[in-house]
Coordinates of all heavy atoms in Angstrom, one line a residue:
A15 N 12.2 1.6 -3.0 CA 11.1 0.8 -3.4 C 10.7 -0.1 -2.1 O 11.4 -0.4 -1.2 CB 11.5 -0.2 -4.5
I16 N 9.4 -0.5 -2.2 CA 8.9 -1.4 -1.2 C 9.7 -2.8 -1.1 O 10.2 -3.1 -2.1 CB 7.4 -1.8 -1.5 CG1 6.7 -2.5 -0.3 CG2 7.2 -2.6 -2.9 CD1 5.2 -2.7 -0.5
D17 N 9.9 -3.2 0.1 CA 10.6 -4.5 0.5 C 9.7 -5.6 0.1 O 8.8 -5.8 0.8 CB 11.0 -4.4 1.9 CG 11.6 -5.8 2.2 OD1 11.9 -6.5 1.4 OD2 11.9 -5.9 3.4
S18 N 9.9 -6.4 -0.9 CA 9.0 -7.5 -1.2 C 9.1 -8.6 -0.2 O 8.2 -9.4 -0.3 CB 9.3 -7.9 -2.7 OG 10.6 -8.4 -2.8
N19 N 10.0 -8.5 0.6 CA 10.1 -9.6 1.7 C 9.5 -9.0 3.1 O 10.0 -9.4 4.1 CB 11.6 -10.0 1.9 CG 11.9 -11.1 0.9 OD1 11.2 -11.8 0.4 ND2 13.1 -11.0 0.5
F20 N 8.6 -8.0 2.9 CA 8.2 -7.3 4.1 C 7.5 -8.4 5.2 O 7.6 -8.0 6.4 CB 7.2 -6.3 3.8 CG 5.8 -6.7 3.1 CD1 4.9 -7.0 4.0 CD2 5.8 -6.9 1.8 CE1 3.6 -7.5 3.5 CE2 4.5 -7.4 1.3 CZ 3.4 -7.6 2.1
E21 N 7.0 -9.4 4.7 CA 6.3 -10.4 5.6 C 7.3 -11.0 6.6 O 6.9 -11.4 7.7 CB 5.6 -11.3 4.8 CG 4.2 -10.8 4.2 CD 3.5 -11.9 3.3 OE1 2.8 -12.7 3.8 OE2 3.8 -11.8 2.1
V22 N 8.5 -11.0 6.0 CA 9.6 -11.8 6.9 C 10.3 -10.6 7.7 O 10.6 -10.8 8.8 CB 10.7 -12.4 5.9 CG1 11.9 -12.9 6.7 CG2 10.0 -13.6 5.1
N23 N 10.6 -9.5 7.0 CA 11.4 -8.5 7.6 C 10.7 -7.5 8.5 O 11.4 -6.8 9.2 CB 12.1 -7.7 6.5 CG 13.0 -8.5 5.7 OD1 13.5 -9.5 6.2 ND2 13.2 -8.0 4.5
R24 N 9.3 -7.6 8.6 CA 8.6 -6.7 9.3 C 7.6 -7.4 10.3 O 7.3 -8.7 10.0 CB 7.8 -5.7 8.5 CG 8.7 -4.8 7.8 CD 7.7 -3.9 7.0 NE 8.5 -2.7 6.3 CZ 8.3 -1.4 6.4 NH1 7.3 -1.0 7.0 NH2 8.9 -0.7 5.7
E25 N 7.2 -6.7 11.3 CA 6.3 -7.4 12.1 C 4.8 -6.9 11.9 O 4.7 -5.6 11.7 CB 6.6 -7.1 13.7 CG 7.8 -7.7 13.9 CD 8.0 -8.1 15.4 OE1 7.0 -7.8 16.2 OE2 9.1 -8.7 15.8
R26 N 3.8 -7.7 11.9 CA 2.5 -7.4 11.7 C 1.9 -6.6 12.9 O 2.0 -7.1 14.1 CB 1.6 -8.6 11.4 CG 0.3 -8.2 10.9 CD -0.6 -9.5 10.7 NE -2.0 -9.1 10.8 CZ -2.8 -9.3 9.9 NH1 -2.5 -10.1 8.7 NH2 -4.1 -9.1 10.0
A27 N 1.6 -5.3 12.7 CA 1.3 -4.4 13.8 C -0.2 -4.3 14.1 O -0.5 -3.7 15.1 CB 1.9 -3.0 13.6
G28 N -0.9 -5.0 13.2 CA -2.3 -5.0 13.5 C -3.2 -4.8 12.1 O -2.7 -5.4 11.2
E29 N -4.3 -4.3 12.3 CA -5.2 -4.1 11.1 C -6.0 -2.7 11.1 O -6.2 -2.3 12.1 CB -6.1 -5.3 11.1 CG -6.7 -5.8 9.9 CD -7.5 -7.0 10.0 OE1 -6.9 -8.1 10.0 OE2 -8.7 -6.9 10.0
E30 N -6.1 -2.2 9.9 CA -6.8 -1.0 9.8 C -7.8 -1.0 8.6 O -7.2 -1.3 7.6 CB -6.0 0.2 9.7 CG -6.5 1.6 10.5 CD -5.3 2.5 10.6 OE1 -4.4 2.3 11.4 OE2 -5.5 3.6 10.1
D31 N -9.1 -0.8 8.9 CA -10.1 -0.9 7.8 C -9.9 -2.3 7.1 O -10.2 -2.3 5.8 CB -9.9 0.3 6.8 CG -9.9 1.6 7.4 OD1 -10.7 1.9 8.3 OD2 -8.9 2.4 6.9
G32 N -9.7 -3.3 7.9 CA -9.7 -4.7 7.2 C -8.5 -4.9 6.5 O -8.2 -6.0 5.8
V33 N -7.4 -4.1 6.6 CA -6.2 -4.3 5.9 C -5.1 -4.5 6.9 O -4.9 -3.7 7.8 CB -5.9 -3.1 4.8 CG1 -4.6 -3.1 4.2 CG2 -7.0 -3.1 3.9
A34 N -4.2 -5.4 6.7 CA -3.0 -5.7 7.6 C -2.1 -4.5 7.6 O -1.9 -3.8 6.5 CB -2.3 -7.0 7.2
V35 N -1.5 -4.2 8.7 CA -0.5 -3.1 8.9 C 0.8 -3.8 9.2 O 0.8 -4.5 10.4 CB -1.0 -2.1 10.0 CG1 0.1 -1.1 10.0 CG2 -2.3 -1.4 9.6
W36 N 1.9 -3.5 8.5 CA 3.2 -4.1 8.9 C 4.0 -2.9 9.4 O 4.3 -2.0 8.6 CB 3.8 -4.7 7.7 CG 2.9 -5.8 7.1 CD1 1.9 -5.7 6.2 CD2 2.9 -7.2 7.4 NE1 1.3 -7.0 6.0 CE2 1.9 -7.9 6.6 CE3 3.8 -8.0 8.2 CZ2 1.7 -9.3 6.7 CZ3 3.6 -9.3 8.2 CH2 2.6 -10.0 7.5
G37 N 4.6 -3.1 10.6 CA 5.3 -2.0 11.2 C 6.8 -1.8 10.7 O 7.1 -2.5 9.7
P38 N 7.4 -0.9 11.3 CA 7.1 0.0 12.4 C 6.0 1.1 12.0 O 6.1 1.7 10.9 CB 8.5 0.6 12.8 CG 9.3 0.6 11.6 CD 8.8 -0.5 10.8
V39 N 5.2 1.5 12.9 CA 4.2 2.5 12.7 C 4.4 3.5 13.8 O 4.4 3.2 15.0 CB 2.8 2.0 12.8 CG1 1.7 3.0 12.5 CG2 2.6 0.8 11.6
E40 N 4.5 4.7 13.4 CA 4.5 5.9 14.4 C 3.9 7.0 13.8 O 4.6 7.9 13.2 CB 6.1 6.1 14.7 CG 6.8 5.3 15.9 CD 8.1 5.6 15.9 OE1 8.6 6.8 16.2 OE2 8.9 4.6 15.9
P41 N 2.7 7.1 13.9 CA 1.9 8.2 13.1 C 2.2 9.6 13.9 O 2.5 9.5 15.0 CB 0.5 7.8 13.5 CG 0.4 6.6 14.1 CD 1.8 6.2 14.5
P42 N 2.3 10.6 13.0 CA 2.0 10.6 11.6 C 3.1 10.3 10.7 O 2.9 10.1 9.5 CB 1.4 12.0 11.5 CG 2.2 12.9 12.3 CD 2.5 12.0 13.4
E43 N 4.4 10.2 11.2 CA 5.5 10.3 10.2 C 5.7 8.9 9.6 O 6.3 8.6 8.5 CB 6.8 10.7 10.9 CG 6.8 12.1 11.4 CD 6.2 12.4 12.7 OE1 5.8 11.4 13.4 OE2 6.1 13.5 13.1
K44 N 5.5 7.8 10.4 CA 5.7 6.4 10.0 C 4.3 5.7 9.9 O 3.7 5.5 10.9 CB 6.7 5.7 10.9 CG 8.0 5.9 10.5 CD 9.0 4.8 10.9 CE 10.4 4.6 10.3 NZ 10.2 4.3 8.8
Q45 N 3.9 5.3 8.6 CA 2.7 4.8 8.5 C 2.7 3.1 8.3 O 1.8 2.5 8.1 CB 1.9 5.3 7.4 CG 1.6 6.9 7.6 CD 0.4 6.9 8.5 OE1 -0.4 6.1 8.6 NE2 0.2 8.1 9.1
G46 N 3.9 2.6 7.9 CA 4.1 1.3 7.6 C 3.6 0.8 6.2 O 3.3 1.6 5.4
I47 N 3.7 -0.5 6.0 CA 3.1 -1.1 4.8 C 1.7 -1.7 5.1 O 1.4 -2.2 6.2 CB 4.1 -2.3 4.4 CG1 5.5 -1.8 3.8 CG2 3.4 -3.3 3.3 CD1 6.4 -2.8 3.5
R48 N 0.8 -1.3 4.1 CA -0.5 -1.8 4.3 C -1.0 -2.9 3.3 O -0.6 -2.7 2.1 CB -1.5 -0.6 4.2 CG -1.1 0.6 4.9 CD -1.2 0.3 6.4 NE -0.8 1.4 7.2 CZ -1.4 2.2 7.9 NH1 -2.9 2.0 7.9 NH2 -1.1 3.2 8.6
G49 N -1.6 -3.9 3.7 CA -2.0 -4.9 2.8 C -1.0 -6.2 2.8 O 0.1 -6.1 3.3
T50 N -1.4 -7.3 2.3 CA -0.6 -8.4 2.2 C -0.4 -8.9 0.8 O 0.6 -8.9 0.2 CB -1.1 -9.6 3.1 OG1 -1.3 -9.0 4.4 CG2 -0.2 -10.7 3.2
H51 N -1.6 -9.3 0.1 CA -1.4 -9.9 -1.3 C -1.1 -8.6 -2.1 O -0.3 -8.7 -3.0 CB -2.8 -10.5 -1.7 CG -2.8 -10.8 -3.1 ND1 -2.2 -12.1 -3.5 CD2 -3.1 -10.3 -4.3 CE1 -2.3 -12.2 -4.7 NE2 -2.8 -11.1 -5.3
V52 N -1.8 -7.5 -1.9 CA -1.5 -6.2 -2.6 C -1.1 -5.4 -1.5 O -1.8 -5.0 -0.4 CB -2.7 -5.6 -3.2 CG1 -2.3 -4.3 -3.9 CG2 -3.2 -6.5 -4.3
A53 N 0.3 -5.0 -1.5 CA 0.8 -4.3 -0.4 C 1.4 -2.9 -0.9 O 2.0 -2.8 -2.0 CB 2.1 -5.0 0.3
V54 N 1.1 -1.9 0.0 CA 1.5 -0.5 -0.4 C 2.3 0.1 0.8 O 1.9 0.0 1.9 CB 0.3 0.4 -0.6 CG1 0.8 1.8 -0.9 CG2 -0.6 -0.1 -1.8
D55 N 3.6 0.4 0.6 CA 4.3 1.1 1.5 C 3.9 2.6 1.6 O 4.2 3.4 0.8 CB 5.8 1.0 1.1 CG 6.7 1.4 2.3 OD1 6.4 2.3 3.1 OD2 7.9 0.8 2.4
F56 N 3.2 2.9 2.7 CA 2.6 4.1 2.8 C 3.7 5.2 3.1 O 3.5 6.4 2.8 CB 1.7 4.2 4.1 CG 0.2 3.9 3.7 CD1 -0.1 3.1 2.7 CD2 -0.8 4.3 4.6 CE1 -1.4 2.8 2.3 CE2 -2.1 3.9 4.3 CZ -2.5 3.2 3.2
D57 N 4.9 4.7 3.5 CA 6.0 5.7 3.8 C 6.7 6.1 2.4 O 7.5 7.0 2.3 CB 6.9 5.2 4.9 CG 6.3 5.0 6.2 OD1 5.5 6.0 6.5 OD2 6.2 3.9 6.8
I58 N 6.4 5.4 1.3 CA 7.0 5.6 0.0 C 5.9 6.2 -0.9 O 6.3 7.2 -1.6 CB 7.5 4.3 -0.6 CG1 8.6 3.8 0.2 CG2 8.0 4.7 -2.1 CD1 9.3 2.4 -0.4
C59 N 4.6 5.9 -0.7 CA 3.5 6.5 -1.6 C 3.4 8.0 -1.4 O 3.6 8.4 -0.3 CB 2.1 5.9 -1.1 SG 0.7 6.6 -1.9
L60 N 3.5 8.6 -2.6 CA 3.4 10.0 -2.6 C 2.0 10.6 -3.3 O 2.1 11.7 -3.8 CB 4.5 10.7 -3.2 CG 5.2 10.2 -4.5 CD1 4.4 10.2 -5.5 CD2 6.6 10.8 -4.6
A61 N 1.1 9.6 -3.3 CA -0.3 10.0 -3.8 C -0.5 10.3 -5.2 O -1.1 11.2 -5.6 CB -1.0 11.1 -2.9
D62 N 0.4 9.6 -5.9 CA 0.3 9.8 -7.4 C -1.0 9.5 -8.0 O -1.5 10.3 -8.9 CB 1.4 8.9 -8.1 CG 1.4 9.0 -9.5 OD1 2.0 9.9 -10.2 OD2 0.7 8.2 -10.3
G63 N -1.6 8.5 -7.5 CA -3.0 8.2 -7.9 C -3.2 7.2 -9.2 O -4.2 6.7 -9.5
A64 N -2.0 6.8 -9.8 CA -2.1 6.0 -11.0 C -2.6 4.7 -10.6 O -3.3 4.0 -11.5 CB -0.7 5.9 -11.6
C65 N -2.4 4.2 -9.4 CA -2.9 2.8 -9.1 C -4.4 2.9 -9.0 O -5.1 2.0 -9.5 CB -2.2 2.3 -7.9 SG -2.4 3.4 -6.4
L66 N -4.9 3.9 -8.4 CA -6.3 4.1 -8.3 C -7.0 4.1 -9.8 O -8.1 3.6 -9.9 CB -6.8 5.2 -7.5 CG -6.9 5.0 -6.0 CD1 -5.6 5.6 -5.4 CD2 -8.0 5.7 -5.4
E67 N -6.5 4.9 -10.6 CA -7.0 5.1 -11.9 C -6.9 3.8 -12.8 O -7.8 3.6 -13.5 CB -6.1 6.2 -12.6 CG -6.6 7.7 -12.2 CD -5.7 8.7 -12.8 OE1 -5.0 8.5 -13.9 OE2 -5.5 9.8 -12.2
D68 N -5.9 3.1 -12.6 CA -5.5 2.0 -13.5 C -6.1 0.6 -13.1 O -6.3 -0.3 -13.9 CB -4.2 1.9 -13.9 CG -3.6 3.2 -14.8 OD1 -4.5 3.8 -15.2 OD2 -2.5 3.4 -15.0
C69 N -6.2 0.4 -11.8 CA -6.6 -1.0 -11.4 C -8.1 -1.3 -12.0 O -9.0 -0.6 -11.7 CB -6.7 -0.9 -9.8 SG -7.2 -2.7 -9.3
P70 N -8.0 -2.4 -12.7 CA -9.3 -2.8 -13.4 C -10.4 -3.2 -12.5 O -11.5 -3.2 -12.8 CB -8.9 -3.9 -14.4 CG -7.6 -4.6 -13.6 CD -6.9 -3.3 -13.0
V71 N -10.1 -3.6 -11.1 CA -11.1 -4.0 -10.2 C -11.2 -3.1 -9.0 O -11.7 -3.5 -8.0 CB -10.8 -5.6 -9.9 CG1 -11.0 -6.5 -11.0 CG2 -9.4 -5.7 -9.3
D72 N -10.5 -1.9 -9.0 CA -10.8 -0.9 -8.0 C -10.3 -1.5 -6.6 O -11.1 -1.4 -5.7 CB -12.2 -0.4 -7.9 CG -12.5 0.4 -9.2 OD1 -11.6 0.9 -9.9 OD2 -13.7 0.4 -9.6
V73 N -9.3 -2.0 -6.6 CA -8.6 -2.5 -5.3 C -8.4 -1.3 -4.3 O -8.5 -1.5 -3.1 CB -7.4 -3.3 -5.5 CG1 -6.6 -3.5 -4.2 CG2 -7.8 -4.7 -6.0
F74 N -8.0 -0.2 -4.8 CA -7.4 0.9 -4.1 C -8.6 1.9 -3.6 O -9.3 2.2 -4.4 CB -6.2 1.6 -4.7 CG -5.1 0.6 -5.1 CD1 -5.0 0.1 -6.4 CD2 -4.2 0.3 -4.2 CE1 -4.0 -0.9 -6.7 CE2 -3.2 -0.7 -4.5 CZ -3.1 -1.2 -5.8
E75 N -8.4 2.5 -2.5 CA -9.2 3.7 -2.2 C -8.3 4.5 -1.2 O -7.4 4.2 -0.5 CB -10.5 3.4 -1.4 CG -10.3 2.6 -0.1 CD -11.7 2.3 0.6 OE1 -12.6 1.9 -0.3 OE2 -11.7 2.4 1.7
W76 N -8.5 6.0 -1.4 CA -7.7 7.0 -0.7 C -8.1 6.8 0.9 O -9.2 6.6 1.2 CB -8.1 8.4 -1.1 CG -7.7 8.7 -2.6 CD1 -8.3 9.1 -3.6 CD2 -6.3 8.7 -3.0 NE1 -7.5 9.4 -4.7 CE2 -6.2 9.2 -4.4 CE3 -4.9 8.4 -2.4 CZ2 -5.1 9.3 -5.1 CZ3 -3.8 8.5 -3.3 CH2 -3.8 8.9 -4.5
V77 N -7.0 7.0 1.6 CA -7.2 7.2 3.0 C -6.2 8.4 3.3 O -5.2 8.7 2.8 CB -6.8 6.0 4.0 CG1 -7.6 4.8 3.8 CG2 -5.4 5.6 3.7
D78 N -6.8 9.2 4.4 CA -6.0 10.4 4.8 C -5.0 10.2 5.8 O -5.2 9.4 6.7 CB -7.1 11.4 5.4 CG -8.0 12.0 4.2 OD1 -7.5 12.1 3.1 OD2 -9.1 12.1 4.6
T79 N -3.7 10.7 5.4 CA -2.6 10.5 6.4 C -2.0 11.9 6.7 O -0.9 12.2 6.2 CB -1.5 9.7 5.9 OG1 -1.0 10.2 4.6 CG2 -2.1 8.2 5.7
P80 N -2.8 12.8 7.4 CA -2.3 14.2 7.7 C -1.0 14.1 8.5 O -0.9 13.5 9.5 CB -3.6 14.8 8.4 CG -4.3 13.6 8.9 CD -4.1 12.5 8.1
G81 N -0.1 15.0 8.0 CA 1.2 15.1 8.6 C 2.3 14.3 8.3 O 3.3 14.2 8.7
H82 N 1.9 13.3 7.2 CA 2.9 12.5 6.7 C 3.9 13.2 5.8 O 3.4 14.0 4.9 CB 2.4 11.2 6.1 CG 3.5 10.1 5.6 ND1 4.1 10.2 4.5 CD2 4.0 9.2 6.5 CE1 5.1 9.2 4.4 NE2 4.9 8.6 5.6
P83 N 5.2 13.0 5.9 CA 6.1 13.9 5.1 C 5.9 13.8 3.7 O 6.2 14.7 2.8 CB 7.5 13.4 5.6 CG 7.3 12.3 6.6 CD 5.9 12.4 6.9
E84 N 5.6 12.6 3.0 CA 5.4 12.4 1.6 C 4.2 12.8 0.9 O 4.3 13.4 -0.1 CB 5.6 10.8 1.2 CG 7.1 10.3 1.5 CD 8.1 11.0 0.6 OE1 7.8 11.6 -0.4 OE2 9.2 10.8 1.1
S85 N 3.1 12.6 1.7 CA 1.8 13.1 1.1 C 0.8 12.8 2.3 O 0.9 11.9 3.1 CB 1.5 12.2 -0.1 OG 1.3 10.8 0.4
E86 N -0.4 13.6 2.1 CA -1.5 13.5 3.1 C -2.6 12.6 2.8 O -3.6 12.5 3.5 CB -1.7 15.0 3.5 CG -0.8 15.9 3.8 CD -1.0 16.9 4.9 OE1 -2.0 17.4 4.9 OE2 -0.2 16.9 5.8
R87 N -2.5 11.7 1.8 CA -3.2 10.7 1.6 C -2.4 9.5 0.9 O -1.5 9.9 0.2 CB -4.5 11.2 0.7 CG -4.2 11.6 -0.7 CD -5.4 11.9 -1.4 NE -5.3 12.4 -2.8 CZ -6.3 12.4 -3.7 NH1 -7.6 12.3 -3.3 NH2 -6.0 12.8 -4.8
K88 N -3.0 8.3 1.0 CA -2.3 7.1 0.5 C -3.3 6.3 -0.2 O -4.6 6.3 0.1 CB -1.7 6.4 1.7 CG -0.9 7.3 2.6 CD 0.5 7.7 1.9 CE 1.4 8.6 2.9 NZ 2.6 9.1 2.2
A89 N -2.8 5.3 -1.1 CA -3.6 4.4 -1.7 C -3.8 3.0 -0.8 O -2.8 2.3 -0.7 CB -3.1 4.1 -3.1
N90 N -4.9 3.0 -0.3 CA -5.0 1.9 0.6 C -5.6 0.6 -0.2 O -6.5 0.7 -0.9 CB -6.1 2.2 1.8 CG -6.1 1.2 2.9 OD1 -4.9 0.7 3.3 ND2 -7.2 1.0 3.5
P91 N -4.9 -0.6 -0.1 CA -5.5 -1.7 -0.9 C -6.7 -2.4 -0.3 O -6.7 -3.6 0.2 CB -4.2 -2.7 -1.0 CG -3.5 -2.4 0.3 CD -3.8 -0.9 0.5
A92 N -7.7 -1.6 0.0 CA -8.9 -2.1 0.7 C -9.5 -3.3 0.2 O -10.1 -4.0 0.9 CB -9.8 -0.9 0.8
D93 N -9.6 -3.4 -1.1 CA -10.3 -4.6 -1.8 C -9.3 -5.6 -2.4 O -9.3 -6.1 -3.4 CB -11.2 -4.2 -2.7 CG -12.5 -3.6 -2.1 OD1 -12.9 -4.2 -1.1 OD2 -13.0 -2.6 -2.6
E94 N -8.0 -5.8 -1.6 CA -7.1 -6.6 -2.2 C -7.4 -8.1 -2.6 O -6.8 -8.6 -3.4 CB -5.7 -6.7 -1.3 CG -6.1 -7.3 0.1 CD -4.8 -7.3 1.0 OE1 -3.7 -7.3 0.5 OE2 -5.0 -7.3 2.2
D95 N -8.6 -8.5 -1.9 CA -9.1 -9.8 -2.2 C -9.6 -9.9 -3.7 O -9.8 -11.0 -4.3 CB -10.3 -10.2 -1.3 CG -9.8 -10.3 0.2 OD1 -8.6 -10.4 0.3 OD2 -10.6 -10.4 1.0
Q96 N -10.0 -8.8 -4.3 CA -10.4 -8.7 -5.6 C -9.3 -8.8 -6.8 O -9.6 -8.8 -7.8 CB -11.4 -7.4 -5.9 CG -12.5 -7.3 -5.0 CD -13.5 -8.4 -5.1 OE1 -13.8 -8.7 -6.2 NE2 -13.8 -9.0 -3.9
C97 N -8.1 -8.6 -6.3 CA -7.0 -8.4 -7.2 C -6.9 -9.6 -8.2 O -7.1 -10.8 -7.7 CB -5.8 -8.4 -6.4 SG -4.1 -8.4 -7.4
I98 N -6.7 -9.3 -9.5 CA -6.5 -10.4 -10.5 C -5.0 -10.4 -11.0 O -4.8 -11.2 -12.0 CB -7.4 -10.1 -11.8 CG1 -7.3 -8.6 -12.3 CG2 -8.9 -10.2 -11.1 CD1 -8.0 -8.5 -13.6
D99 N -4.1 -9.9 -10.3 CA -2.8 -10.1 -10.5 C -2.3 -9.6 -11.9 O -1.4 -10.2 -12.5 CB -2.3 -11.6 -10.4 CG -2.5 -12.1 -8.9 OD1 -2.5 -11.3 -8.0 OD2 -2.8 -13.3 -8.7
C100 N -3.0 -8.5 -12.3 CA -2.6 -8.0 -13.7 C -1.2 -7.3 -13.6 O -0.5 -7.0 -14.6 CB -3.6 -7.1 -14.1 SG -3.8 -5.5 -13.3
M101 N -0.8 -6.8 -12.4 CA 0.4 -6.2 -12.2 C 0.6 -4.6 -12.7 O 1.6 -4.1 -12.8 CB 1.6 -7.0 -12.8 CG 1.8 -8.2 -12.2 SD 2.0 -8.1 -10.3 CE 2.6 -9.6 -9.8
L102 N -0.6 -4.2 -13.2 CA -0.6 -2.8 -13.7 C -0.2 -1.9 -12.6 O 0.7 -0.9 -12.9 CB -2.0 -2.5 -14.1 CG -2.1 -1.5 -15.4 CD1 -1.3 -2.1 -16.5 CD2 -3.6 -1.5 -15.8
C103 N -0.7 -2.0 -11.4 CA -0.3 -1.0 -10.4 C 1.1 -1.0 -10.1 O 1.8 0.1 -9.8 CB -1.2 -1.3 -9.2 SG -0.9 -3.0 -8.5
V104 N 1.7 -2.2 -10.0 CA 3.1 -2.3 -9.8 C 3.9 -1.5 -10.8 O 4.9 -0.8 -10.7 CB 3.6 -3.8 -9.7 CG1 5.1 -3.9 -9.6 CG2 2.8 -4.5 -8.5
D105 N 3.6 -1.7 -12.1 CA 4.2 -1.0 -13.2 C 4.0 0.4 -13.2 O 4.9 1.2 -13.7 CB 3.7 -1.6 -14.6 CG 4.1 -3.0 -14.8 OD1 5.0 -3.5 -14.1 OD2 3.5 -3.8 -15.6
V106 N 2.7 1.0 -12.9 CA 2.6 2.5 -13.1 C 2.9 3.3 -11.9 O 3.1 4.5 -12.0 CB 1.0 2.7 -13.3 CG1 0.7 2.1 -14.7 CG2 0.2 2.3 -12.3
C107 N 3.1 2.7 -10.7 CA 3.5 3.5 -9.6 C 4.9 4.1 -9.8 O 5.9 3.4 -10.0 CB 3.5 2.7 -8.4 SG 4.1 3.7 -6.8
P108 N 5.0 5.4 -9.8 CA 6.3 6.2 -10.1 C 7.4 5.9 -9.1 O 8.6 6.2 -9.4 CB 5.9 7.5 -10.3 CG 4.7 7.7 -9.4 CD 4.1 6.4 -9.5
V109 N 7.0 5.5 -7.8 CA 7.9 5.3 -6.7 C 8.1 3.8 -6.3 O 8.7 3.8 -5.3 CB 7.7 6.3 -5.6 CG1 8.0 7.7 -5.9 CG2 6.2 6.2 -5.2
D110 N 7.5 2.9 -7.1 CA 7.6 1.5 -6.7 C 7.1 1.3 -5.3 O 7.8 0.6 -4.5 CB 9.1 1.0 -6.9 CG 9.5 1.0 -8.4 OD1 8.5 0.7 -9.0 OD2 10.7 1.0 -8.7
A111 N 6.0 1.8 -4.8 CA 5.5 1.7 -3.5 C 4.6 0.3 -3.4 O 4.2 0.0 -2.3 CB 4.6 3.0 -3.1
I112 N 4.4 -0.3 -4.4 CA 3.4 -1.4 -4.5 C 4.1 -2.8 -4.7 O 4.9 -2.9 -5.6 CB 2.3 -1.2 -5.5 CG1 1.6 0.2 -5.3 CG2 1.2 -2.3 -5.4 CD1 0.6 0.5 -6.3
D113 N 3.7 -3.7 -4.0 CA 4.1 -5.1 -4.2 C 2.9 -6.0 -4.4 O 2.0 -6.0 -3.5 CB 5.1 -5.6 -3.1 CG 5.6 -7.0 -3.3 OD1 6.3 -7.2 -4.2 OD2 5.2 -7.8 -2.4
V114 N 2.8 -6.8 -5.4 CA 1.7 -7.8 -5.6 C 2.4 -9.1 -5.8 O 3.3 -9.3 -6.4 CB 0.9 -7.4 -6.9 CG1 -0.2 -8.5 -7.1 CG2 0.2 -6.2 -6.7
D115 N 1.8 -10.0 -4.9 CA 2.4 -11.5 -4.8 C 1.4 -12.4 -5.2 O 0.7 -13.0 -4.5 CB 2.8 -11.5 -3.3 CG 3.6 -12.8 -3.0 OD1 4.2 -13.3 -4.0 OD2 3.7 -13.3 -1.9
P116 N 1.6 -12.7 -6.5 CA 0.6 -13.8 -7.1 C 0.8 -15.1 -6.5 O 2.0 -15.4 -6.1 CB 0.8 -13.6 -8.6 CG 1.8 -12.5 -8.8 CD 2.4 -12.3 -7.5
G117 N -0.2 -16.0 -6.4 CA 0.1 -17.3 -6.1 C -0.1 -17.5 -4.5 O -0.7 -16.7 -3.8
Ligands
SF4_245 FE1 -5.3 -4.0 -9.3 FE2 -3.9 -5.5 -11.1 FE3 -2.8 -4.1 -8.9 FE4 -4.2 -6.3 -8.6 S1 -2.3 -6.2 -9.8 S2 -4.2 -4.4 -7.5 S3 -5.8 -6.1 -10.1 S4 -3.9 -3.1 -10.8
F3S246 FE1 0.8 6.0 -4.2 FE2 2.1 4.8 -6.3 FE3 -0.4 4.7 -5.9 S1 2.6 6.8 -5.3 S2 -1.1 6.5 -5.0 S3 1.0 3.7 -4.6 S4 0.7 5.0 -8.0

């Protein structure tokens, strides 16, 4: 599962498409955690897609990650600022790749 203390345990490695990247990042095998309020561990995400389908405010969008061992696309929390903290995505992700931090 995603480490909910990633902001303490990882270093911010930069930003991609307006979304924070938390390392370590070594593409294509290691993609890190993306986002802050809504965070997705790209190294755990296997492109199930439930988060994209169920999020009521369309926070997520697919990004391609060719060569990643789990899946070749990931759910990027591109519109995390829109999140209403319903926690649906956290509940539906089959591999617990998502952390939402209300407040
Ligand atoms: Fe979308 Fe709800 Fe997840 Fe926020 S907590 S990203 S609103 S599904
Ligand atoms: Fe990935 Fe989980 Fe969404 S596997 S696509 S973060 S439901």
